[in-house]
Amino acid sequence: MAIVVETGLGRHGARRAADSLMPRIRHAAGICTIAGSFTFLFALVIGLVR
């Protein structure tokens, strides 16, 4: 019975780790997207000025 409890906790812990990892990846992807957009707009403005 103790093995079943430990396995359940192990699975729950792994699931919790995966749940906390996905928002971080999405947040990092969002930051990269915003940074890329600003970089593109900045390059576009420099090109128009020249």
Side-chain angles (χ1 to χ4, degrees), residues 7-50:
T7 304
L9 287 174
R11 287 180 184 171
H12 188 68
R15 189 178 298 167
R16 184 180 295 171
D19 287 343
S20 66
L21 184 63
M22 284 305 295
R24 290 182 183 176
I25 294 174
R26 289 178 185 166
H27 185 66
I31 291 175
C32 290
T33 302
I34 292 171
S37 298
F38 276 118
T39 304
F40 175 73
L41 289 174
F42 186 67
L44 189 66
V45 169
I46 291 176
L48 289 175
V49 170
R50 285 187 177 182

